[in-house]
Structures are given as structure tokens and as C-alpha cells.
Amino acid sequence: MSANTQTSWPELPLTTWRDSYATLHLLTQIVGKIRLSCTPWLNHSWHVTLYVTARGLTTSPIPHGDKNFEIEFDFVDHALHIFTSHGVTREFTLAGHSVASFYTQILGVLANIGIHATINEVPNELPDPIRFSQDTQHASYDAEAVRRFFQILTNADRVFKEFRTGFIGKASPVHFFWGSFDLAVTRFSGRRAPRHPGGVPHLSDAVAREAYSHEVSSAGFWPGGGAIDYPAFYSYAYPEPARFRSTRVKPDAAFFSESLGEFILPYDAVRVSADPDQALLDFLQSTYEAAANAAKWDRDALECPPGKPGLVRTIQLPREMGF
């Protein structure tokens, strides 16, 4: 492995930034909930997510009356930026804040520029939540660890987007979900799924059922926690088809986690491989094929060759049309 690969795929053991991770998770929830409070509901909760940018994570433009506004986490200069389509710009540093002080400051800054947002103060998808306005416990910000996390997101976002080009069925953008704090991309078979049973810890059953209304193969990156106490890539299918979990997938370091119900590829296995991008693509493709084959997706109708920069995808017309 080259020194350049080591730099571009940095180490980030969970133990080295657990406190900063917990704080940043809650800060993204506050910003994500602001987007949620102002945006009409979109299928599969796609209206609440954040997106990787060249500097961090953004809400993308949020509608508010006759203008849009956007909130961006800048993990290069470690600041929060707020922009409006009327030309207003505000910013403040990320370091030095507790969750409570960040909550007060961002809502105050927004109010000062005429944007009055009201959000549910209780964090989602976390055990023992503390209301944002009362949380002075979480106040860590390790700038170097956050920079490394951002570099991993940049890499994963690039590879996930490349993987997405090989599918012409319904597929999600590459989203950052602040509830679970993971970056994900999802493919759909086009078929309805059975009613989700709900029961996802600290998540509304109605939200889970709407999110999983259709059959999916989903993959993503997560910094770790709980049963997987290290950063990892994951892949799962809903509903899980028979023989899915017993399928052999690539690369060799990947395995099926019985406790999580999904395939796991430790981030470090990708980081130290000779070709990290290819190792991750192999995982994404092989786990998707495991789901699609086991569930008998119409792969001929849903797939296409991977996209190439500047080249229009060739359309093959059906033989029965006489072409």
C-alpha cells in the first residue's frame, strides 16, 4: 500500500474520537431537524438528509417563504455556515460548543436573519436522549478526528456515486442520515415491500414503515458503535430474501453480522488494501447481487454498464420493436 493511499484513507479508530463523534452526531441532528421542519415530506425521508460537499456536509437549499437558505458544516475550517438566496451569510466556529450552546446559537442566528425554526428537541435513534437545550454534557470537538472523518466521507461518497451509475432503476442519491449518522445509497427493485414491523429503537414506526415501503438493497458507511465497535461499511436487503445471508461476498474480509442482520466490511480492511476503491466496489456489487439474485430482481431491466465521464449511455432498443 502506498503512502498516498494511507493518507487518503486515514485511520479513525472509534476509541480515539468517541466523545467528539457523539457531539458531532447531535449537532448534525439539530441541523437536520431544521431542514425537516421546513421541507415538505419526500419519499423514504429523503427530505431530511445531508449531503457531502467539497468542505463538509450541507442541507442543500431549504425553502423558507420567498427565499432559500442553506446550512453547511465546514470540516476544513471547522465552522458552520448559513447562506440565503437573498445574499445573507452568517458563520460561527464549531469548536467550543456544547450541544446546548450550539442549539441556542444556530436558532438565534437564524432568527436574526428572519428564519424562525421550531424543532423537536429530543434526539432521534439514540438511547437515553437529552433535550438539545439542556445538553451540556456533549461538548467535544477534535478537529483532526473530524477532518479524518470528512476524508472518509469524501472517499465513500465518490465510490458510492460510481456504484450508483450502474443502475437505471430507482436509486437514491448518496445521503447522509443524521439519525443513524451514516452515509448510504439505496437501490430499489420497483416492487412493494411487506409492511415493516417497526420496532426500530428510538424511531417512529410510521417513519420506518414509510422508509421501507418498497423492496431495497441498501449499503453505506458508519463510524461504528454498539455491536460493531469500529468504522465499517454495511449492506442489507429489505425484506431479507432466503439464502441472502449465506451468500459468499467480496472481499474476503466481509462477513454477515447476525446481530445486525447485514453484511459488514471493516473500514480498516478497505483502508489497507492495495486498491481501496476497488475493494469497496467489490463489496457493494457482490452484496447487491446477493440481494438481487436471492429476491429474483429483474436485473436485465434494472442494470446498465457503469457510467463514464463525458460519454452518453448507449440505449439498446428491444428486439421486438424491430430495431
Side-chain angles (χ1 to χ4, degrees):
M1 181 177 63
S2 69
N4 183 61
T5 299
Q6 288 179 307
T7 302
S8 61
W9 292 82
E11 291 185 84
L12 191 62
L14 182 58
T15 54
T16 65
W17 78 303
R18 194 183 300 272
D19 291 343
S20 291
Y21 168 15
T23 301
L24 185 60
H25 188 173
L26 292 164
L27 302 190
T28 63
Q29 291 219 5
I30 292 169
V31 170
K33 283 175 179 253
I34 292 170
R35 184 183 183 203
L36 167 64
S37 72
C38 298
T39 310
W41 198 276
L42 187 62
N43 51 285
H44 317 300
S45 297
W46 290 356
H47 63 300
V48 309
T49 60
L50 306 180
Y51 306 92
V52 176
T53 71
R55 299 185 70 87
L57 290 168
T58 184
T59 57
S60 75
I62 302 170
H64 191 272
D66 66 345
K67 62 179 176 292
N68 288 336
F69 70 101
E70 182 174 353
I71 305 172
E72 181 184 39
F73 287 94
D74 180 342
F75 297 142
V76 177
D77 289 336
H78 303 287
L80 189 87
H81 302 291
I82 299 170
F83 311 102
T84 78
S85 56
H86 288 181
V88 176
T89 301
R90 297 287 187 274
E91 68 177 58
F92 59 88
T93 59
L94 291 169
H97 279 287
S98 67
V99 169
S101 66
F102 179 90
Y103 171 79
T104 298
Q105 180 146 357
I106 189 171
L107 292 187
V109 170
L110 288 172
N112 285 338
I113 59 174
I115 299 168
H116 298 278
T118 301
I119 67 174
N120 183 334
E121 281 193 46
V122 180
N124 292 97
E125 300 184 56
L126 290 171
D128 305 316
I130 305 169
R131 294 179 69 87
F132 297 134
S133 63
Q134 300 171 5
D135 188 354
T136 57
Q137 173 183 330
H138 295 97
S140 298
Y141 191 88
D142 181 336
E144 173 59 20
V146 172
R147 184 197 64 77
R148 288 171 177 248
F149 173 62
F150 171 53
Q151 183 60 51
I152 296 170
L153 289 184
T154 298
N155 291 333
D157 182 69
R158 178 187 68 252
V159 178
F160 289 177
K161 286 175 177 173
E162 181 178 350
F163 172 65
R164 188 171 180 257
T165 67
F167 197 77
I168 55 174
K170 175 181 171 181
S172 75
V174 179
H175 291 303
F176 185 86
F177 284 93
W178 43 264
S180 46
F181 206 69
D182 63 324
L183 191 71
V185 64
T186 302
R187 292 178 171 187
F188 293 77
S189 71
R191 302 187 297 232
R192 292 296 300 261
R195 180 180 172 87
H196 194 281
V200 178
H202 314 290
L203 181 67
S204 160
D205 287 350
V207 171
R209 286 170 179 150
E210 195 279 334
Y212 292 104
S213 61
H214 288 70
E215 192 174 38
V216 301
S217 170
S218 190
F221 169 78
W222 182 49
I228 302 295
D229 204 31
Y230 50 81
F233 297 96
Y234 66 80
S235 181
Y236 65 88
Y238 181 79
E240 184 187 322
R243 297 179 297 281
F244 171 68
R245 61 179 60 197
S246 61
T247 306
R248 185 178 180 83
V249 300
K250 298 177 181 178
D252 290 342
F255 64 95
F256 190 87
S257 168
E258 296 291 339
S259 60
L260 293 177
E262 55 194 26
F263 285 103
I264 294 294
L265 175 62
Y267 167 72
D268 282 347
V270 173
R271 182 180 65 81
V272 302
S273 66
D275 187 342
D277 283 35
Q278 190 59 53
L280 179 51
L281 283 170
D282 288 346
F283 177 71
L284 298 172
Q285 184 63 31
S286 64
T287 54
Y288 158 70
E289 290 179 358
N293 290 337
K296 297 181 170 56
W297 288 24
D298 186 353
R299 293 185 58 189
D300 287 342
L302 294 170
E303 298 173 21
C304 63
K308 302 295 183 184
L311 295 179
V312 178
R313 182 172 59 85
T314 301
I315 299 298
Q316 300 291 336
L317 296 177
R319 291 181 181 179
E320 58 267 25
M321 293 181 65
F323 294 98

